Amino acid sequence: MCIRDSLRGITFKPDGSRMYVTTDKNLDTAIEGTVIEYSLSTAFDITTATKTSETDLDIGGGTLMDKPHAIEFKPDGKVMYVIRSQSGSVGVEQFNLTTAWDTSTLSHDASLGITNGGDVQIRAITFKTDGTRVYIAQRDHGKVIQYDLSTPWDISSATNEVESNLFTGEEDNIRNIQFSSDGTFMYLGGNGGDDINKYKLPTAWDVSTITHVTSYSISSQTNEMRGFKFTANFTKLYVTGDDGDGTGTNVVYEYSLACVGTITCDPINDKD
């Protein structure tokens, strides 16, 4: 599935009827972030996608977000989270949606600034299933950072920062992270190796100690991975690729996984 330049994060409504991607919209004077929403007539089948809206990521006072990346939603679809990697304004932006799952109704609500030393470049975000923890990762930092949320799903309530051990031996340019439903496995992908890495967590939802299990390469489809998302049952994987930058199109790839819960399977489908 082809989209325009600067395609970044990707996620879905849990029933697969809608897909969301973040992009940088090229304007005459600046590059500004948007979220594009698609309706899928067949659940989780990106070949049936129809664009329904594209909405500027206004973070207040008419200021548009620059350099959006990973995107996530609260399970009820009423809150959306987008990584912001604009120099000097790095962190997570939280938006309320007047109508659940309809991004054209978004309004900015809160921010979580990240200042973890030097030129911080945040790329990834995910949550514990009950909303009591948020996890982010920097592009070159080589660690996942975990925060407790004293108010579930509210990033402004983040406390108790905990870092994982280093994973740069597997990936040095992270793009996104995702957990298994029970929090005992973490999946981490990036365009350093253009692969998805699977890690074991000895204590569920605690990234203080992670152990690498296996990797799955997607380099035969893209050398510029920008984001990924598994369906909840891990039977499908979606990857955004930036190979078309400058040509007017980027690509979303869809994979069917023959063995549920693993990343060691061959892609059955890679649609472009």
Side-chain angles (χ1 to χ4, degrees), residues 54-80:
E54 180 172 6
T55 305
D56 289 337
L57 293 170
D58 188 333
I59 53 177
T63 300
L64 303 185
M65 184 194 299
D66 191 6
K67 296 182 174 61
H69 284 273
I71 176 173
E72 284 291 339
F73 286 85
K74 186 179 176 184
D76 63 5
K78 294 182 178 180
V79 185
M80 181 182 78

Side-chain angles (χ1 to χ4, degrees), residues 9-14 18-22 35-38 53 57 70-82 92-106 125-129 131 153 229:
I10 182 170
T11 196
F12 290 81
K13 187 178 178 183
R18 297 188 191 184
M19 180 179 75
Y20 308 86
V21 297
T22 58
V35 56
I36 306 177
E37 178 178 325
Y38 295 85
S53 67
L57 293 170
I71 176 173
E72 284 291 339
F73 286 85
K74 186 179 176 184
D76 63 5
K78 294 182 178 180
V79 185
M80 181 182 78
Y81 311 86
V82 178
V92 185
E93 302 296 343
Q94 179 173 309
F95 300 84
N96 291 330
L97 278 66
T98 304
T99 303
W101 303 107
D102 182 353
T103 53
S104 69
T105 68
L106 66 80
I125 183 171
T126 194
F127 289 83
K128 188 178 178 182
T129 49
W153 304 106
K229 187 72 174 182

Side-chain angles (χ1 to χ4, degrees), residues 79-180:
V79 185
M80 181 182 78
Y81 311 86
V82 178
I83 289 291
R84 183 184 187 190
S85 276
Q86 180 179 354
S87 181
S89 302
V90 175
V92 185
E93 302 296 343
Q94 179 173 309
F95 300 84
N96 291 330
L97 278 66
T98 304
T99 303
W101 303 107
D102 182 353
T103 53
S104 69
T105 68
L106 66 80
S107 61
H108 187 255
D109 179 47
S111 301
L112 172 63
I114 306 297
T115 57
N116 193 15
D119 183 19
V120 179
Q121 292 291 311
I122 300 298
R123 293 290 186 265
I125 183 171
T126 194
F127 289 83
K128 188 178 178 182
T129 49
D130 63 1
T132 59
R133 281 185 180 170
V134 62
Y135 307 82
I136 63 170
Q138 293 175 221
R139 185 186 64 186
D140 305 316
H141 185 53
K143 297 180 181 180
V144 174
I145 306 170
Q146 164 187 310
Y147 297 91
D148 291 332
L149 299 179
S150 55
T151 301
W153 304 106
D154 182 356
I155 59 169
S156 66
S157 69
T159 60
N160 302 327
E161 178 181 321
V162 175
E163 291 189 346
S164 72
N165 47 295
L166 282 168
F167 52 75
T168 49
E170 294 82 48
E171 178 55 58
D172 62 3
N173 198 348
I174 187 172
R175 291 294 172 173
N176 206 19
I177 49 179
Q178 187 173 343
F179 287 89
S180 60

